[in-house]
Amino acid sequence: MELLSSLVAFKKSSGPIALAIGNFDGVHLGHQRIIEEIVKNPDLKSVVMSFEPHPIIFLNPQLSFKKLFPLSDQEQVFTKMKVQYFVRLKFNAELAEMTYKEFLSLIHSHLDIKKIVVGYDFRFGKNKEGTIDKLSQWCQKNNIEFKKIEEVKMGAVTISTSDIKRRLISHDLKEVNKMLGRNYYLSGVVVRGDQRGRLLGFPTANMLIEEDLQVPALGVYVTQVTLGQKNYLGVTNIGKTPTFKNDERIKIETHILDFNQDIYDQTIAIEFLRFLRDEKKFSSIDEIKFQIAKDIEESQK
């Protein structure tokens, strides 16, 4: 897959395309349905168009908006799904002020669009005046096939990024992973922590992640840890270590089972498999050790 940062880099001479437009935060099963629609015609080159930063961040900077995954996740998933081009446009004041007609004129001048695919709730242009109906009419006028992907449901619930985030902070990992079509994960660099786990006899890998990522609710989880090409079972604590400190900094600490290597400054990925228990404050070191041993035993069931 080729990653582009502007429309100028894409020439009409590149040939006819099928275009998917959206933010695709999390690339959940609903998003994947959109992507499947643009890659199925071998006569059309598949192009995904997204925006960075997320328009919500630019238009409402006062909001504490969190992404499900880092930007690299989109690239990885789109590549696996055989997308040929990923155009990630910089969302700035100029783009924010564009009417929906101006935006459509812009992309049409650079891309030989034969098909456009969007989700059921897609809105675009200044003040979100570009509706599904207006986009459909524009496509018809310009002899472009238009496809709206309806809600993808799990039972009676429509899969959405916002709902996945709500479930993440309510320990509903089973449904989160179903909606994503893969396991939710965090990735980051292993940094030096307080060394307290090692002193307790259960060393942990302390992971530093991007600050704008959504993290699950505080608590202890069974995880799968990927380091290089190898996977390990882990027990991950997301919390504020209330037994030792009273600061508000959330730490992500993972005890990797049957593992004893120095992995400082290396990048690991942690897939969240299931929730074990809430974080709690202990009255003694022995109580902590007993609980950690119990967590490890439970993780292997």
Side-chain angles (χ1 to χ4, degrees):
M1 185 183 74
E2 188 172 347
L3 180 63
L4 305 173
S5 60
S6 72
L7 288 169
V8 176
F10 201 108
K11 306 297 182 183
K12 267 199 171 182
S13 58
S14 297
I17 70 164
L19 175 66
I21 311 174
N23 291 304
F24 304 106
D25 181 19
V27 199
H28 55 60
L29 290 180
H31 296 146
Q32 290 173 36
R33 188 73 59 83
I34 295 172
I35 304 306
E36 288 166 358
E37 187 66 34
I38 66 166
V39 300
K40 68 181 186 181
N41 187 341
D43 296 327
L44 299 178
K45 293 186 176 178
S46 53
V47 181
V48 174
M49 181 180 294
S50 188
F51 309 93
E52 177 58 27
H54 193 293
I56 290 178
I57 298 174
F58 184 87
L59 297 171
N60 300 285
Q62 73 279 6
L63 296 180
S64 180
F65 179 82
K66 299 289 185 180
K67 298 183 297 185
L68 268 177
F69 296 117
L71 293 178
S72 58
D73 179 77
Q74 290 180 331
E75 298 165 27
Q76 293 166 10
V77 178
F78 293 158
T79 297
K80 287 180 181 177
M81 296 188 73
K82 309 299 183 184
V83 171
Q84 292 169 286
Y85 297 92
F86 181 18
V87 183
R88 184 182 282 143
L89 296 180
K90 181 176 178 61
F91 196 87
N92 51 25
E94 181 182 4
L95 202 56
E97 286 297 313
M98 272 191 189
T99 66
Y100 78 92
K101 289 182 179 179
E102 290 171 337
F103 177 74
L104 290 173
S105 178
L106 172 68
I107 63 173
H108 199 213
S109 67
H110 288 281
L111 307 173
D112 184 12
I113 308 170
K114 299 301 181 185
K115 181 176 183 177
I116 290 182
V117 185
V118 296
Y120 68 97
D121 58 350
F122 182 70
R123 299 290 292 265
F124 66 108
K126 186 177 180 181
N127 298 324
K128 294 185 177 181
E129 291 178 351
T131 63
I132 292 288
D133 287 342
K134 290 176 180 177
L135 177 57
S136 177
Q137 292 167 13
W138 180 85
C139 285
Q140 186 175 17
K141 180 180 177 182
N142 288 278
N143 198 30
I144 295 170
E145 181 185 353
F146 174 73
K147 181 80 173 182
K148 177 184 72 170
I149 302 300
E150 300 294 349
E151 300 101 315
V152 176
K153 292 181 176 290
M154 188 160 290
V157 179
T158 298
I159 296 175
S160 68
T161 300
S162 57
D163 191 59
I164 290 172
K165 290 176 181 177
R166 283 194 294 270
R167 291 173 185 271
L168 262 183
I169 58 178
S170 62
H171 300 136
D172 195 1
L173 264 182
K174 185 177 181 180
E175 294 303 306
V176 165
N177 291 343
K178 283 182 180 179
M179 290 179 168
L180 287 171
R182 55 200 171 113
N183 291 333
Y184 167 80
Y185 72 93
L186 291 171
S187 63
V189 176
V190 177
V191 297
R192 292 189 182 275
D194 299 321
Q195 306 289 307
R196 195 170 288 114
R198 190 174 300 277
L199 295 174
L200 292 170
F202 301 97
T204 59
N206 298 273
M207 190 168 66
L208 184 66
I209 65 169
E210 296 177 17
E211 292 184 0
D212 61 349
L213 292 180
Q214 179 70 58
V215 297
L218 304 188
V220 180
Y221 298 83
V222 180
T223 53
Q224 176 177 278
V225 182
T226 300
L227 174 63
Q229 301 300 314
K230 293 186 177 181
N231 296 325
Y232 305 88
L233 187 65
V235 176
T236 298
N237 183 80
I238 296 182
K240 304 175 183 179
T241 56
T243 304
F244 300 101
K245 288 186 176 181
N246 291 317
D247 63 39
E248 291 300 306
R249 184 169 61 92
I250 294 176
K251 293 171 277 295
I252 303 168
E253 304 172 296
T254 301
H255 175 68
I256 308 174
L257 277 62
D258 302 317
F259 185 84
N260 187 24
Q261 296 179 30
D262 183 343
I263 56 174
Y264 290 124
D265 301 322
Q266 294 190 49
T267 297
I268 62 173
I270 298 173
E271 295 182 25
F272 288 75
L273 306 181
R274 58 190 173 96
F275 174 71
L276 276 181
R277 62 173 177 85
D278 290 313
E279 184 180 46
K280 58 183 178 181
K281 187 173 183 176
F282 297 97
S283 58
S284 69
I285 297 298
D286 286 340
E287 189 180 352
I288 297 175
K289 289 181 177 181
F290 177 80
Q291 182 64 62
I292 294 175
K294 187 176 179 181
D295 292 341
I296 293 172
E297 181 182 357
E298 182 66 27
S299 72
Q300 299 176 80
K301 293 181 179 180

